[in-house]
Amino acid sequence: MTEGVLKAEAASQRTGQPYLGNPGVSNYKELELSLNRLKEQGVKVVIEANDMDKCMRLDCDHAYKEICEKCKGSNGECPKKREKRNHIRKGCLKLYEICEKLDLICKRAVWDTDDEGYWQENYKGIDDWELREL
């Protein structure tokens, strides 16, 4: 399970593994129905492979120019990054809730992380990770 149908297709083409692409991290209207159908076909485990900004650092790096001018890096943490990361994580949690309701195992996939588990910002999506040059 990943964000975006094209990401799912690219990762699937590269790995030969099935991927389900959700149109966006907070778009879950049809997801329960899709997962229930997959369960009926024998799926038991769902791997959550949403974009790695779910693990982004919150350090202020002035990435959001207009917002940063107002914020001035309060306490060194970027409130815009926190808001974005919380939104992504909320979407991830919704997937876990749906899986629990359907009695499916849901595991988180991460890649391109440092020793502390933060995203290193080299490969955002599972498609980027699978298409990287080895």
Side-chain angles (χ1 to χ4, degrees):
M1 175 76 209
T2 191
E3 295 175 56
V5 177
L6 291 176
K7 286 181 185 189
E9 179 66 21
S12 182
Q13 290 292 323
R14 176 66 175 218
T15 65
Q17 298 296 314
Y19 280 82
L20 180 62
N22 200 22
V25 73
S26 61
N27 189 344
Y28 285 93
K29 187 175 182 180
E30 300 294 325
L31 185 58
E32 186 173 339
L33 178 62
S34 297
L35 289 174
N36 195 43
R37 286 183 180 156
L38 290 170
K39 179 182 176 179
E40 289 170 358
Q41 295 174 22
V43 168
K44 292 180 170 70
V45 178
V46 175
I47 307 295
E48 176 266 304
N50 288 321
D51 288 352
M52 282 307 296
D53 40 6
K54 66 188 173 196
C55 296
M56 77 171 130
R57 289 187 179 276
L58 300 178
D59 302 335
C60 179
D61 60 3
H62 306 287
Y64 301 96
K65 297 181 184 353
E66 295 169 9
I67 296 169
C68 293
E69 289 175 14
K70 296 175 188 171
C71 161
K72 304 291 186 212
S74 51
N75 300 326
E77 183 180 290
C78 177
K80 181 67 177 172
K81 284 183 179 181
R82 175 165 293 286
E83 177 185 336
K84 181 177 179 179
R85 190 176 79 178
N86 287 348
H87 177 75
I88 295 163
R89 288 182 174 187
K90 184 178 176 184
C92 292
L93 287 174
K94 185 67 176 168
L95 172 62
Y96 292 109
E97 289 171 10
I98 292 169
C99 287
E100 185 175 345
K101 179 180 178 182
L102 297 175
D103 199 28
L104 293 168
I105 297 168
C106 190
K107 297 180 179 183
R108 172 174 278 183
V110 294
W111 54 92
D112 189 33
T113 57
D114 62 19
D115 292 337
E116 297 176 75
Y118 287 107
W119 175 40
Q120 296 184 95
E121 299 190 30
N122 297 308
Y123 305 98
K124 183 177 178 185
I126 190 67
D127 58 328
D128 300 327
W129 180 250
E130 293 297 353
L131 294 170
R132 75 192 185 286
E133 293 198 23
L134 301 174

mmCIF file of all heavy atoms in Angstrom, residues 20-52:
data_model
loop_
_atom_site.group_PDB
_atom_site.id
_atom_site.type_symbol
_atom_site.label_atom_id
_atom_site.label_comp_id
_atom_site.label_asym_id
_atom_site.label_seq_id
_atom_site.Cartn_x
_atom_site.Cartn_y
_atom_site.Cartn_z
ATOM 1 N N LEU A 20 -0.865 -1.662 -3.963
ATOM 2 C CA LEU A 20 -2.136 -0.954 -4.046
ATOM 3 C C LEU A 20 -1.822 0.515 -3.864
ATOM 4 O O LEU A 20 -1.182 0.897 -2.884
ATOM 5 C CB LEU A 20 -3.081 -1.456 -2.943
ATOM 6 C CG LEU A 20 -4.467 -0.826 -2.874
ATOM 7 C CD1 LEU A 20 -5.247 -1.093 -4.161
ATOM 8 C CD2 LEU A 20 -5.227 -1.392 -1.677
ATOM 9 N N GLY A 21 -2.245 1.334 -4.799
ATOM 10 C CA GLY A 21 -1.980 2.765 -4.731
ATOM 11 C C GLY A 21 -3.203 3.525 -4.281
ATOM 12 O O GLY A 21 -4.254 3.427 -4.899
ATOM 13 N N ASN A 22 -3.051 4.270 -3.208
ATOM 14 C CA ASN A 22 -4.117 5.117 -2.698
ATOM 15 C C ASN A 22 -3.911 6.524 -3.277
ATOM 16 O O ASN A 22 -2.781 7.007 -3.279
ATOM 17 C CB ASN A 22 -4.046 5.139 -1.162
ATOM 18 C CG ASN A 22 -5.332 5.577 -0.524
ATOM 19 O OD1 ASN A 22 -6.389 5.498 -1.117
ATOM 20 N ND2 ASN A 22 -5.242 6.025 0.709
ATOM 21 N N PRO A 23 -4.966 7.171 -3.759
ATOM 22 C CA PRO A 23 -4.792 8.492 -4.383
ATOM 23 C C PRO A 23 -4.172 9.552 -3.480
ATOM 24 O O PRO A 23 -3.687 10.555 -3.955
ATOM 25 C CB PRO A 23 -6.215 8.899 -4.778
ATOM 26 C CG PRO A 23 -6.983 7.640 -4.817
ATOM 27 C CD PRO A 23 -6.345 6.710 -3.840
ATOM 28 N N GLY A 24 -4.165 9.343 -2.198
ATOM 29 C CA GLY A 24 -3.550 10.271 -1.259
ATOM 30 C C GLY A 24 -3.613 9.696 0.134
ATOM 31 O O GLY A 24 -4.489 8.876 0.429
ATOM 32 N N VAL A 25 -2.715 10.141 0.992
ATOM 33 C CA VAL A 25 -2.603 9.548 2.320
ATOM 34 C C VAL A 25 -3.888 9.688 3.135
ATOM 35 O O VAL A 25 -4.170 8.875 3.993
ATOM 36 C CB VAL A 25 -1.381 10.118 3.072
ATOM 37 C CG1 VAL A 25 -1.617 11.537 3.527
ATOM 38 C CG2 VAL A 25 -0.998 9.233 4.224
ATOM 39 N N SER A 26 -4.704 10.696 2.849
ATOM 40 C CA SER A 26 -5.940 10.875 3.612
ATOM 41 C C SER A 26 -7.187 10.466 2.822
ATOM 42 O O SER A 26 -8.303 10.761 3.226
ATOM 43 C CB SER A 26 -6.061 12.330 4.085
ATOM 44 O OG SER A 26 -6.111 13.186 2.976
ATOM 45 N N ASN A 27 -7.001 9.800 1.709
ATOM 46 C CA ASN A 27 -8.122 9.381 0.870
ATOM 47 C C ASN A 27 -8.426 7.905 1.152
ATOM 48 O O ASN A 27 -7.853 7.018 0.535
ATOM 49 C CB ASN A 27 -7.770 9.607 -0.597
ATOM 50 C CG ASN A 27 -8.961 9.410 -1.496
ATOM 51 O OD1 ASN A 27 -9.970 8.841 -1.104
ATOM 52 N ND2 ASN A 27 -8.845 9.878 -2.712
ATOM 53 N N TYR A 28 -9.358 7.655 2.065
ATOM 54 C CA TYR A 28 -9.636 6.282 2.478
ATOM 55 C C TYR A 28 -11.065 5.848 2.226
ATOM 56 O O TYR A 28 -11.493 4.823 2.736
ATOM 57 C CB TYR A 28 -9.289 6.119 3.963
ATOM 58 C CG TYR A 28 -7.801 6.063 4.145
ATOM 59 C CD1 TYR A 28 -7.068 7.196 4.410
ATOM 60 C CD2 TYR A 28 -7.130 4.859 3.979
ATOM 61 C CE1 TYR A 28 -5.705 7.141 4.530
ATOM 62 C CE2 TYR A 28 -5.760 4.791 4.097
ATOM 63 C CZ TYR A 28 -5.055 5.932 4.374
ATOM 64 O OH TYR A 28 -3.701 5.869 4.482
ATOM 65 N N LYS A 29 -11.784 6.595 1.425
ATOM 66 C CA LYS A 29 -13.195 6.282 1.193
ATOM 67 C C LYS A 29 -13.395 4.879 0.640
ATOM 68 O O LYS A 29 -14.257 4.146 1.092
ATOM 69 C CB LYS A 29 -13.793 7.327 0.248
ATOM 70 C CG LYS A 29 -15.277 7.199 0.065
ATOM 71 C CD LYS A 29 -15.834 8.323 -0.776
ATOM 72 C CE LYS A 29 -17.325 8.192 -0.889
ATOM 73 N NZ LYS A 29 -17.910 9.248 -1.698
ATOM 74 N N GLU A 30 -12.610 4.482 -0.323
ATOM 75 C CA GLU A 30 -12.767 3.173 -0.965
ATOM 76 C C GLU A 30 -11.753 2.135 -0.478
ATOM 77 O O GLU A 30 -11.826 0.983 -0.871
ATOM 78 C CB GLU A 30 -12.632 3.326 -2.488
ATOM 79 C CG GLU A 30 -13.654 4.254 -3.112
ATOM 80 C CD GLU A 30 -15.075 3.733 -3.016
ATOM 81 O OE1 GLU A 30 -15.275 2.506 -3.104
ATOM 82 O OE2 GLU A 30 -15.980 4.570 -2.815
ATOM 83 N N LEU A 31 -10.833 2.544 0.378
ATOM 84 C CA LEU A 31 -9.763 1.644 0.780
ATOM 85 C C LEU A 31 -10.273 0.419 1.529
ATOM 86 O O LEU A 31 -9.833 -0.703 1.268
ATOM 87 C CB LEU A 31 -8.724 2.384 1.625
ATOM 88 C CG LEU A 31 -7.507 1.563 2.006
ATOM 89 C CD1 LEU A 31 -6.781 1.032 0.773
ATOM 90 C CD2 LEU A 31 -6.566 2.385 2.860
ATOM 91 N N GLU A 32 -11.194 0.617 2.451
ATOM 92 C CA GLU A 32 -11.709 -0.522 3.210
ATOM 93 C C GLU A 32 -12.351 -1.551 2.280
ATOM 94 O O GLU A 32 -12.126 -2.751 2.423
ATOM 95 C CB GLU A 32 -12.709 -0.063 4.266
ATOM 96 C CG GLU A 32 -13.153 -1.191 5.170
ATOM 97 C CD GLU A 32 -14.011 -0.732 6.327
ATOM 98 O OE1 GLU A 32 -13.977 0.460 6.699
ATOM 99 O OE2 GLU A 32 -14.729 -1.585 6.877
ATOM 100 N N LEU A 33 -13.100 -1.081 1.321
ATOM 101 C CA LEU A 33 -13.730 -1.980 0.345
ATOM 102 C C LEU A 33 -12.668 -2.749 -0.439
ATOM 103 O O LEU A 33 -12.767 -3.970 -0.601
ATOM 104 C CB LEU A 33 -14.628 -1.181 -0.604
ATOM 105 C CG LEU A 33 -15.329 -1.952 -1.702
ATOM 106 C CD1 LEU A 33 -16.288 -2.981 -1.117
ATOM 107 C CD2 LEU A 33 -16.079 -0.987 -2.604
ATOM 108 N N SER A 34 -11.640 -2.044 -0.896
ATOM 109 C CA SER A 34 -10.566 -2.690 -1.665
ATOM 110 C C SER A 34 -9.827 -3.720 -0.826
ATOM 111 O O SER A 34 -9.563 -4.839 -1.288
ATOM 112 C CB SER A 34 -9.565 -1.648 -2.174
ATOM 113 O OG SER A 34 -10.184 -0.756 -3.061
ATOM 114 N N LEU A 35 -9.492 -3.358 0.404
ATOM 115 C CA LEU A 35 -8.780 -4.292 1.268
ATOM 116 C C LEU A 35 -9.639 -5.496 1.624
ATOM 117 O O LEU A 35 -9.136 -6.613 1.713
ATOM 118 C CB LEU A 35 -8.290 -3.583 2.532
ATOM 119 C CG LEU A 35 -7.139 -2.605 2.325
ATOM 120 C CD1 LEU A 35 -6.833 -1.849 3.614
ATOM 121 C CD2 LEU A 35 -5.903 -3.303 1.792
ATOM 122 N N ASN A 36 -10.929 -5.279 1.802
ATOM 123 C CA ASN A 36 -11.832 -6.396 2.090
ATOM 124 C C ASN A 36 -11.874 -7.357 0.905
ATOM 125 O O ASN A 36 -11.853 -8.582 1.091
ATOM 126 C CB ASN A 36 -13.223 -5.891 2.444
ATOM 127 C CG ASN A 36 -14.061 -6.961 3.090
ATOM 128 O OD1 ASN A 36 -13.586 -7.702 3.944
ATOM 129 N ND2 ASN A 36 -15.308 -7.063 2.686
ATOM 130 N N ARG A 37 -11.905 -6.823 -0.298
ATOM 131 C CA ARG A 37 -11.892 -7.693 -1.494
ATOM 132 C C ARG A 37 -10.578 -8.473 -1.591
ATOM 133 O O ARG A 37 -10.577 -9.646 -1.947
ATOM 134 C CB ARG A 37 -12.104 -6.853 -2.750
ATOM 135 C CG ARG A 37 -13.525 -6.391 -2.910
ATOM 136 C CD ARG A 37 -13.726 -5.616 -4.184
ATOM 137 N NE ARG A 37 -15.102 -5.193 -4.299
ATOM 138 C CZ ARG A 37 -15.494 -4.158 -5.024
ATOM 139 N NH1 ARG A 37 -14.606 -3.454 -5.699
ATOM 140 N NH2 ARG A 37 -16.770 -3.828 -5.068
ATOM 141 N N LEU A 38 -9.473 -7.807 -1.273
ATOM 142 C CA LEU A 38 -8.181 -8.492 -1.303
ATOM 143 C C LEU A 38 -8.118 -9.582 -0.229
ATOM 144 O O LEU A 38 -7.573 -10.660 -0.453
ATOM 145 C CB LEU A 38 -7.039 -7.493 -1.125
ATOM 146 C CG LEU A 38 -6.814 -6.559 -2.315
ATOM 147 C CD1 LEU A 38 -5.839 -5.452 -1.949
ATOM 148 C CD2 LEU A 38 -6.325 -7.337 -3.516
ATOM 149 N N LYS A 39 -8.708 -9.301 0.916
ATOM 150 C CA LYS A 39 -8.750 -10.295 1.983
ATOM 151 C C LYS A 39 -9.529 -11.534 1.515
ATOM 152 O O LYS A 39 -9.110 -12.668 1.759
ATOM 153 C CB LYS A 39 -9.399 -9.710 3.236
ATOM 154 C CG LYS A 39 -9.481 -10.703 4.374
ATOM 155 C CD LYS A 39 -10.167 -10.129 5.584
ATOM 156 C CE LYS A 39 -10.299 -11.221 6.643
ATOM 157 N NZ LYS A 39 -10.940 -10.734 7.847
ATOM 158 N N GLU A 40 -10.628 -11.305 0.825
ATOM 159 C CA GLU A 40 -11.427 -12.415 0.289
ATOM 160 C C GLU A 40 -10.627 -13.250 -0.701
ATOM 161 O O GLU A 40 -10.901 -14.425 -0.894
ATOM 162 C CB GLU A 40 -12.695 -11.883 -0.377
ATOM 163 C CG GLU A 40 -13.713 -11.330 0.603
ATOM 164 C CD GLU A 40 -14.853 -10.586 -0.078
ATOM 165 O OE1 GLU A 40 -14.856 -10.457 -1.326
ATOM 166 O OE2 GLU A 40 -15.748 -10.103 0.650
ATOM 167 N N GLN A 41 -9.622 -12.635 -1.310
ATOM 168 C CA GLN A 41 -8.763 -13.346 -2.260
ATOM 169 C C GLN A 41 -7.527 -13.947 -1.593
ATOM 170 O O GLN A 41 -6.644 -14.462 -2.268
ATOM 171 C CB GLN A 41 -8.342 -12.396 -3.388
ATOM 172 C CG GLN A 41 -9.507 -11.930 -4.231
ATOM 173 C CD GLN A 41 -9.093 -10.891 -5.254
ATOM 174 O OE1 GLN A 41 -7.921 -10.785 -5.625
ATOM 175 N NE2 GLN A 41 -10.049 -10.111 -5.716
ATOM 176 N N GLY A 42 -7.456 -13.843 -0.268
ATOM 177 C CA GLY A 42 -6.379 -14.501 0.458
ATOM 178 C C GLY A 42 -5.304 -13.612 1.044
ATOM 179 O O GLY A 42 -4.375 -14.113 1.679
ATOM 180 N N VAL A 43 -5.385 -12.307 0.841
ATOM 181 C CA VAL A 43 -4.389 -11.405 1.424
ATOM 182 C C VAL A 43 -4.533 -11.424 2.941
ATOM 183 O O VAL A 43 -5.632 -11.344 3.479
ATOM 184 C CB VAL A 43 -4.548 -9.966 0.872
ATOM 185 C CG1 VAL A 43 -3.718 -8.968 1.665
ATOM 186 C CG2 VAL A 43 -4.175 -9.924 -0.590
ATOM 187 N N LYS A 44 -3.390 -11.550 3.618
ATOM 188 C CA LYS A 44 -3.383 -11.578 5.082
ATOM 189 C C LYS A 44 -2.555 -10.448 5.684
ATOM 190 O O LYS A 44 -2.760 -10.064 6.827
ATOM 191 C CB LYS A 44 -2.823 -12.917 5.567
ATOM 192 C CG LYS A 44 -3.717 -14.096 5.257
ATOM 193 C CD LYS A 44 -3.074 -15.382 5.767
ATOM 194 C CE LYS A 44 -3.955 -16.557 5.728
ATOM 195 N NZ LYS A 44 -4.358 -17.173 4.578
ATOM 196 N N VAL A 45 -1.594 -9.942 4.904
ATOM 197 C CA VAL A 45 -0.670 -8.914 5.401
ATOM 198 C C VAL A 45 -0.662 -7.733 4.442
ATOM 199 O O VAL A 45 -0.573 -7.907 3.226
ATOM 200 C CB VAL A 45 0.770 -9.486 5.541
ATOM 201 C CG1 VAL A 45 1.734 -8.406 6.001
ATOM 202 C CG2 VAL A 45 0.789 -10.677 6.479
ATOM 203 N N VAL A 46 -0.723 -6.542 4.997
ATOM 204 C CA VAL A 46 -0.624 -5.300 4.230
ATOM 205 C C VAL A 46 0.632 -4.581 4.706
ATOM 206 O O VAL A 46 0.844 -4.421 5.909
ATOM 207 C CB VAL A 46 -1.868 -4.407 4.452
ATOM 208 C CG1 VAL A 46 -1.709 -3.060 3.760
ATOM 209 C CG2 VAL A 46 -3.130 -5.113 3.996
ATOM 210 N N ILE A 47 1.457 -4.168 3.774
ATOM 211 C CA ILE A 47 2.658 -3.400 4.097
ATOM 212 C C ILE A 47 2.373 -1.932 3.767
ATOM 213 O O ILE A 47 2.097 -1.596 2.619
ATOM 214 C CB ILE A 47 3.891 -3.884 3.288
ATOM 215 C CG1 ILE A 47 4.098 -5.383 3.443
ATOM 216 C CG2 ILE A 47 5.124 -3.077 3.678
ATOM 217 C CD1 ILE A 47 4.439 -5.843 4.829
ATOM 218 N N GLU A 48 2.425 -1.089 4.787
ATOM 219 C CA GLU A 48 2.223 0.341 4.587
ATOM 220 C C GLU A 48 3.541 0.933 4.103
ATOM 221 O O GLU A 48 4.546 0.903 4.807
ATOM 222 C CB GLU A 48 1.773 0.989 5.905
ATOM 223 C CG GLU A 48 1.632 2.499 5.830
ATOM 224 C CD GLU A 48 2.880 3.218 6.272
ATOM 225 O OE1 GLU A 48 3.346 3.000 7.402
ATOM 226 O OE2 GLU A 48 3.410 4.010 5.456
ATOM 227 N N ALA A 49 3.549 1.424 2.871
ATOM 228 C CA ALA A 49 4.757 1.988 2.259
ATOM 229 C C ALA A 49 4.488 3.409 1.774
ATOM 230 O O ALA A 49 4.821 3.770 0.651
ATOM 231 C CB ALA A 49 5.227 1.095 1.109
ATOM 232 N N ASN A 50 3.863 4.202 2.648
ATOM 233 C CA ASN A 50 3.626 5.599 2.294
ATOM 234 C C ASN A 50 4.940 6.359 2.252
ATOM 235 O O ASN A 50 5.967 5.899 2.762
ATOM 236 C CB ASN A 50 2.654 6.245 3.285
ATOM 237 C CG ASN A 50 1.237 5.749 3.098
ATOM 238 O OD1 ASN A 50 0.781 5.556 1.970
ATOM 239 N ND2 ASN A 50 0.537 5.523 4.193
ATOM 240 N N ASP A 51 4.914 7.514 1.620
ATOM 241 C CA ASP A 51 6.128 8.309 1.426
ATOM 242 C C ASP A 51 6.879 8.547 2.732
ATOM 243 O O ASP A 51 6.287 8.628 3.812
ATOM 244 C CB ASP A 51 5.783 9.652 0.791
ATOM 245 C CG ASP A 51 5.381 9.524 -0.665
ATOM 246 O OD1 ASP A 51 5.501 8.421 -1.232
ATOM 247 O OD2 ASP A 51 4.947 10.536 -1.239
ATOM 248 N N MET A 52 8.175 8.679 2.613
ATOM 249 C CA MET A 52 9.047 8.766 3.776
ATOM 250 C C MET A 52 8.997 10.092 4.515
ATOM 251 O O MET A 52 9.609 10.226 5.574
ATOM 252 C CB MET A 52 10.483 8.435 3.378
ATOM 253 C CG MET A 52 10.724 6.967 3.210
ATOM 254 S SD MET A 52 10.236 5.968 4.643
ATOM 255 C CE MET A 52 11.355 6.598 5.872
#
